[in-house]
Amino acid sequence: MGTDRLVVVGDRFEEFLANPGTIAASRLRADELGERELVAGQGLSGRLLAELAKHWDVPVPARRELTHKRSAENVLIGEPSPVDGVWTAPLVLDERNEVLADHITGQHVPAVALIEAARQMWTAVTELRYPPDGPSRFVIEQLRSRFDTFVFPLPATVRYRLIAHEQGPVGQRFHASLAISQRGVVAAEFDVNYRVIAGKLSAKQEAMAARQALTEVRSTSDSVMEESRS
């Protein structure tokens, strides 16, 4: 990155903003940049990114429905696109995001945010490549994660590669690998098995399991409950 570039980062990454060559989003004034090139780091709102996109090449958040989020600030990725079987999307963290609201320690992006970004990525890719027939729920069967190095509030990329896919009697099953990289280095990797089930069927299964769990707890003797607490 050239020294003439200025990286704009969300204000909540205050420790990272102590580094030279950065500027807090609240202090950014496009008309004061002169000839300096702007780089969009993490922590920026969708509204600010949309404004910056008029003058610079910056990522913008994916549609909420692709990531199964209700609030725009909780979207963590840009819209995925495929290249030779691998789907990629930029990491796009809004500092108001629910997973960042009470968990920023030091200069790096918390691991919990990266896990949620991976979840949004496999959800979005599945919605785009294998759109469910009607309302559906995503059920995680197994998730393994590995974190090799810090991810800082700088540009980063999320990648998704499908390993296996099958259509079952009650939905679709997927096995995929994901990676989050920054500066050409893989920082975090995920291996996930998940299912996509029709919403009504999933709700019915959950309701039955909830009633069974409640019945078992209500029928458990006080002595057993006390033992479980000890």
Side-chain angles (χ1 to χ4, degrees):
M1 181 177 294
T3 56
D4 59 332
R5 292 181 176 181
L6 190 64
V7 181
V8 56
V9 177
D11 289 62
R12 294 201 63 236
F13 289 101
E14 54 184 324
E15 290 192 37
F16 186 80
L17 283 165
N19 294 301
T22 63
I23 184 171
S26 63
R27 296 182 54 238
L28 181 66
R29 301 292 182 271
D31 57 354
E32 297 177 3
L33 290 177
E35 298 299 320
R36 301 188 74 176
E37 182 179 350
L38 188 71
V39 176
Q42 304 297 334
L44 311 184
S45 68
R47 178 178 297 180
L48 177 57
L49 287 170
E51 286 297 316
L52 297 178
K54 297 176 182 178
H55 308 283
W56 293 278
D57 182 18
V58 301
V60 293
R63 292 168 285 158
R64 289 183 295 108
E65 57 268 25
L66 286 180
T67 60
H68 293 194
K69 303 305 294 186
R70 292 190 178 93
S71 301
E73 64 266 22
N74 291 329
V75 175
L76 293 172
I77 61 171
E79 191 146 335
S81 59
V83 177
D84 296 330
V86 177
W87 291 73
T88 64
L91 188 67
V92 185
L93 300 183
D94 188 321
E95 66 180 358
R96 300 169 300 168
N97 188 281
E98 58 189 349
V99 296
L100 296 179
D102 195 32
H103 191 75
I104 292 183
T105 303
Q107 301 191 42
H108 65 281
V109 174
V112 64
L114 303 181
I115 294 172
E116 171 60 11
R119 185 206 65 78
Q120 291 188 18
M121 185 67 173
W122 76 63
T123 301
V125 170
T126 305
E127 289 283 3
L128 290 168
R129 179 65 180 85
Y130 301 94
D133 184 16
S136 61
R137 291 187 180 181
F138 284 59
V139 179
I140 300 173
E141 293 183 328
Q142 181 174 273
L143 174 62
R144 293 186 294 271
S145 58
R146 173 176 172 173
F147 302 93
D148 292 324
T149 188
F150 289 122
V151 172
F152 295 108
L154 296 167
T157 301
V158 188
R159 289 183 172 82
Y160 170 105
R161 181 173 64 87
L162 180 66
I163 297 174
H165 167 243
E166 62 179 16
Q167 179 69 52
V170 294
Q172 304 179 77
R173 251 194 177 92
F174 298 85
H175 179 199
S177 65
L178 298 95
I180 297 178
S181 59
Q182 190 171 74
R183 299 171 291 119
V185 176
V186 173
E189 296 179 279
F190 307 90
D191 186 271
V192 63
N193 292 82
Y194 61 98
R195 290 183 293 152
V196 180
I197 306 173
K200 289 184 178 179
L201 176 60
S202 180
K204 182 178 179 180
Q205 292 175 337
E206 183 180 28
M208 291 175 61
R211 286 195 295 270
Q212 178 64 28
L214 179 59
T215 298
E216 291 179 2
V217 168
R218 294 183 65 193
S219 63
T220 302
S221 66
D222 291 341
S223 60
V224 173
M225 290 295 290
E226 287 298 328
E227 182 181 345
S228 68
R229 293 192 190 104
S230 62

